[in-house]
């Protein structure tokens, strides 16, 4: 059940717009490899379950649970290692058609249609992934800023070259 909102309609619309800006900044920071900014868009206790598309032996684990990272520093370390480690991966992430619901004056949840493309060079040829799906997120307002507190990625389709995951080490 949704908590009672005390925000005015204008403040509710402003909150939703601020959430959109946080989400979009996260995608831009990932694609531009701005690892100093990336953690500032998340709560300290953020939970990320966005690794399910990886082979099981390469997914991160927290407390024995696969496909889960807890904490903004651990999340930043994992995503930067995956996209900007020994092998550099060029990425383009798009988020579309947000469905954002304020669940209180300081919490919200949202679903975003997403598409991502990732490329890396494997010897003399290019490997790539083209994914489609949805981000399921939760947000919390802390110190006047809307931050991402939870994210789960559900993929509808993933098109990859046969050796796309060769470069990935266990997260």
């Amino acid at each position: 059940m949704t908590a009672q909102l005390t925000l005015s309609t204008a403040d509710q619309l402003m909150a939703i717009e601020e959430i959109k800006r946080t989400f979009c900044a996260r995608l831009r920071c990932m694609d531009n490899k701005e690892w100093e900014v990336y953690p500032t868009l998340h709560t300290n206790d953020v939970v990320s379950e966005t690794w399910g598309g990886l082979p099981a032996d390469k997914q991160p684990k927290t407390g024995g649970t696969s496909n889960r990272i807890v904490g903004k520093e651990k999340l930043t370390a994992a995503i930067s290692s995956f996209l900007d480690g020994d092998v550099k991966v060029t990425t383009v992430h798009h988020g579309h058609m947000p469905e954002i619901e304020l669940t209180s004056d300081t919490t919200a949840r949202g679903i975003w249609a997403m598409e991502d493309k990732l490329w890396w060079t494997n010897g003399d040829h290019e490997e790539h992934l083209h994914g489609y799906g949805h981000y399921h997120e939760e947000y919390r307002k802390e110190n006047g800023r809307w931050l991402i507190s939870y994210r789960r990625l559900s993929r509808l389709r993933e098109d990859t070259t046969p050796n796309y995951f060769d470069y990935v080490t266990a997260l």
Side-chain angles (χ1 to χ4, degrees), residues 10-113:
D11 286 340
Q12 289 179 44
L13 293 172
M14 181 59 83
I16 290 170
E17 189 61 29
E18 289 171 4
I19 290 166
K20 290 177 184 178
R21 292 176 60 84
T22 297
F23 175 89
C24 294
R26 181 186 70 84
L27 296 184
R28 177 184 45 77
C29 287
M30 241 186 341
D31 291 341
N32 288 323
K33 315 299 189 265
E34 296 173 7
W35 306 123
E36 68 287 350
V37 177
Y38 189 84
T40 69
L41 303 169
H42 299 84
T43 60
N44 287 332
D45 62 348
V46 64
V47 174
S48 177
E49 298 175 331
T50 56
W51 312 90
L54 292 178
D57 63 330
K58 297 179 180 188
Q59 292 182 19
K61 291 182 182 177
T62 297
T65 302
S66 293
N67 182 31
R68 179 177 273 231
I69 292 178
V70 178
K72 69 181 182 180
E73 300 307 328
K74 288 181 181 176
L75 175 58
T76 302
I79 196 73
S80 64
S81 172
F82 182 69
L83 299 179
D84 200 23
D86 292 339
V87 174
K88 305 300 182 204
V89 180
T90 301
T91 63
V92 176
H93 289 83
H94 287 184
H96 310 276
M97 306 179 319
E99 302 171 55
I100 299 171
E101 175 190 6
L102 296 175
T103 54
S104 78
D105 290 350
T106 59
T107 60
R109 63 179 158 238
I111 300 172
W112 295 76

Side-chain angles (χ1 to χ4, degrees), residues 88-163:
K88 305 300 182 204
V89 180
T90 301
T91 63
V92 176
H93 289 83
H94 287 184
H96 310 276
M97 306 179 319
E99 302 171 55
I100 299 171
E101 175 190 6
L102 296 175
T103 54
S104 78
D105 290 350
T106 59
T107 60
R109 63 179 158 238
I111 300 172
W112 295 76
M114 63 76 65
E115 179 178 7
D116 59 354
K117 293 189 91 170
L118 295 83
W119 302 267
W120 68 279
T121 302
N122 185 4
D124 62 350
H125 66 281
E126 181 180 86
E127 302 285 354
H128 70 268
L129 175 148
H130 191 173
Y132 311 85
H134 295 91
Y135 286 115
H136 305 259
E137 297 195 331
E138 295 176 10
Y139 311 94
R140 194 164 63 230
K141 189 170 187 177
E142 294 183 351
N143 299 317
R145 292 184 62 218
W146 283 96
L147 303 173
I148 301 163
S149 60
Y150 174 81
R151 176 177 33 268
R152 178 175 58 84
L153 172 59
S154 61
R155 288 199 182 268
L156 300 171
R157 181 180 174 105
E158 209 174 61
D159 299 323
T160 66
T161 51
N163 298 313

